[in-house]
Amino acid sequence: VSLVGALSGLVKEGRVQLFLNAADHEHMRAAFVGALESNGVDYDKVVDMNGVQEFKRKMMTEEPSKNVTLFTYDDYFTAVATTDLLCNVADVLACKPSELAFYPIPKLMIRRVGDHEEYSAFRASELGDGTLEVREVDLAVKYVKLFLSTGLLEVMNKSIDNNNKIGLYDGCKNAIRIALERAEQMQ
């Protein structure tokens, strides 16, 4: 939430857009709303799966009506699906280094929750599609400014393209293929 406040100037200037997924966590919704309102940042809100799908559809051809969109729900499924659905209309995913570290999108790895997550950030950095873990807000802001002023996002996207060509993001596809092959062998 501190990062939202720290980025508010860039948001108001129109240089940064934020898609904030509070998911089904009321305390996160309240924290995001508090950070946005205390920094004078206007925002739109999406509250259900139809809204997420409509937002994504519009984002395929146009910019959002406001520089911040808050996604907040009553149900768990929509909360989780939002990240999956919006990855191909976002430039960067800012997240803790969890399973999201393996998504094919440039990632700003912010503070982890558990020690085991440290290795996800290492792996994303090794693959060239994410940063190392950024534990302080001022360093996260510096990365955002690097994304805006250098070719870092292009480098990350090129890494994603190269990684995809060699099948690095095919884990789920391979798991399904193997399961189907084994099921067929058992018949």
Side-chain angles (χ1 to χ4, degrees):
V1 175
S2 299
L3 182 58
V4 172
L7 292 173
S8 64
L10 292 171
V11 168
K12 288 190 233 179
E13 291 171 12
R15 297 184 62 207
V16 170
Q17 296 172 350
L18 300 175
F19 305 161
L20 303 174
N21 188 0
D24 56 339
H25 303 290
E26 174 57 28
H27 70 283
M28 288 305 304
R29 184 205 61 78
F32 282 141
V33 167
L36 294 167
E37 290 179 354
S38 69
N39 286 285
V41 177
D42 197 15
Y43 63 96
D44 278 332
K45 188 163 55 168
V46 174
V47 298
D48 59 28
M49 182 59 81
N50 288 335
V52 176
Q53 292 169 335
E54 179 63 14
F55 181 85
K56 178 182 176 176
R57 186 190 63 72
K58 285 182 179 178
M59 285 295 299
M60 297 300 283
T61 59
E62 59 191 71
E63 295 296 316
S65 60
K66 296 183 180 163
N67 287 335
V68 177
T69 306
L70 175 62
F71 298 85
T72 179
Y73 315 103
D74 292 328
D75 68 291
Y76 176 77
F77 175 78
T78 305
V80 173
T82 295
T83 301
D84 293 338
L85 292 170
L86 296 183
C87 273
N88 67 336
V89 295
D91 295 323
V92 176
L93 175 64
C95 61
K96 67 184 183 83
S98 60
E99 66 281 354
L100 297 174
F102 302 96
Y103 276 44
I105 180 173
K107 291 166 287 290
L108 172 60
M109 297 294 187
I110 56 176
R111 184 182 290 260
R112 65 190 140 144
V113 175
D115 287 340
H116 65 285
E117 294 173 332
E118 175 181 25
Y119 300 103
S120 296
F122 285 148
R123 184 64 175 152
S125 178
E126 289 171 347
L127 295 176
D129 66 3
T131 67
L132 289 169
E133 180 185 11
V134 177
R135 297 185 62 80
E136 302 298 328
V137 171
D138 62 327
L139 187 54
V141 171
K142 287 179 184 177
Y143 264 111
V144 171
K145 289 179 178 178
L146 283 172
F147 292 148
L148 294 171
S149 64
T150 69
L152 182 56
L153 281 180
E154 292 173 32
V155 170
M156 288 177 154
N157 278 299
K158 184 66 175 164
S159 293
I160 290 167
D161 189 42
N162 291 336
N163 294 340
N164 187 52
K165 287 177 184 172
I166 61 172
L168 236 124
Y169 303 111
D170 291 349
C172 290
K173 184 177 10 176
N174 289 334
I176 295 294
R177 179 185 49 77
I178 291 167
L180 291 173
E181 287 171 0
R182 288 186 179 171
E184 191 174 295
Q185 290 171 353
M186 296 176 79
Q187 292 181 358

